[in-house]
């Protein structure tokens, strides 16, 4: 029976009762009083089955969500581990490159020092040769001047 049976003209509602909710349904229309109980039982079973399906669907959805959370956490952890591995690898490579650059700089510095040292030695040797040559030239010129001065008949100007 409908709550608004008075409004919509439910043929099984007696409008003569003070509440308007008394019903007299012909038993022949539904097959008797047993069929009303059977229909009620069928509706109850359907409601129970529907509730079970809803419960199963909620459980399945919760399991899917939980699995998705676990998978997401695992993927996140794997991504963090991979990022850490890449960072460590990059740091190691940077340290190796820096060390290689330092070794090369030290090698170049040593070569430059050796090159400069050999040039400094060569400059010192050449300066010594120049000093020796200057001294010889002086001595030679002094000897030549002494010879010129000792030669008879040379007049002073």
């Amino acid at each position: 029976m409908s709550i608004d049976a008075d409004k919509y003209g439910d043929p099984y509602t007696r409008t003569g009762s003070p509440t308007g909710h008394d019903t007299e349904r012909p038993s022949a229309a539904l097959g008797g009083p047993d069929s009303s109980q059977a229909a009620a039982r069928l509706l109850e079973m359907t409601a129970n089955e529907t509730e079970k399906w809803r419960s199963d669907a909620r459980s399945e959805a919760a399991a899917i969500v939980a699995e998705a959370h676990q998978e997401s956490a695992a993927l996140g952890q794997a991504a963090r581990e991979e990022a850490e591995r890449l960072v460590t690898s990059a740091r190691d490579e940077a340290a190796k490159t820096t060390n290689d650059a330092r070794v090369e700089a030290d090698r170049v510095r040593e070569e430059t020092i050796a090159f400069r040292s050999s040039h400094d030695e060569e400059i010192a040797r050449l300066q010594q040769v120049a000093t020796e040559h200057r001294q010889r030239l002086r001595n030679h010129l002094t000897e030549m001047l002494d010879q010129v001065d000792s030669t008879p008949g040379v007049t002073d100007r």
Side-chain angles (χ1 to χ4, degrees), residues 80 92 110 116 138:
R80 283 188 292 279
D92 291 346
E110 288 173 8
R116 186 174 190 169
R138 263 193 202 128

Side-chain angles (χ1 to χ4, degrees), residues 79-146:
R80 283 188 292 279
E81 289 171 0
E82 179 67 13
E84 184 62 32
R85 187 189 64 74
L86 289 173
V87 167
T88 301
S89 176
R91 283 185 182 143
D92 291 346
E93 186 66 27
K96 181 184 179 303
T97 301
T98 302
N99 188 45
D100 291 347
R102 285 186 183 130
V103 167
E104 182 65 17
D106 289 343
R107 185 189 65 75
V108 168
R109 188 177 301 115
E110 288 173 8
E111 283 180 8
T112 303
I113 290 170
F115 188 70
R116 186 174 190 169
S117 177
S118 72
H119 282 108
D120 288 346
E121 290 171 5
E122 182 67 16
I123 289 170
R125 186 187 69 75
L126 291 173
Q127 286 174 340
Q128 180 63 35
V129 167
T131 302
E132 289 172 2
H133 281 220
R134 199 173 320 133
Q135 188 61 37
R136 277 190 219 144
L137 281 174
R138 263 193 202 128
N139 288 340
H140 182 66
L141 283 174
T142 304
E143 287 174 9
M144 298 277 288
L145 286 174
D146 286 342

Side-chain angles (χ1 to χ4, degrees), residues 7 12 18 31 58 65 74-75 77 107 143:
K7 294 179 187 174
Y12 301 111
R58 282 188 194 114
V65 168
L75 287 173
Q77 182 63 31
R107 185 189 65 75
E143 287 174 9

Side-chain angles (χ1 to χ4, degrees), residues 5-17:
D6 293 345
K7 294 179 187 174
Y8 300 110
D10 186 355
Y12 301 111
T13 303
R14 259 200 288 166
T15 56
S17 77

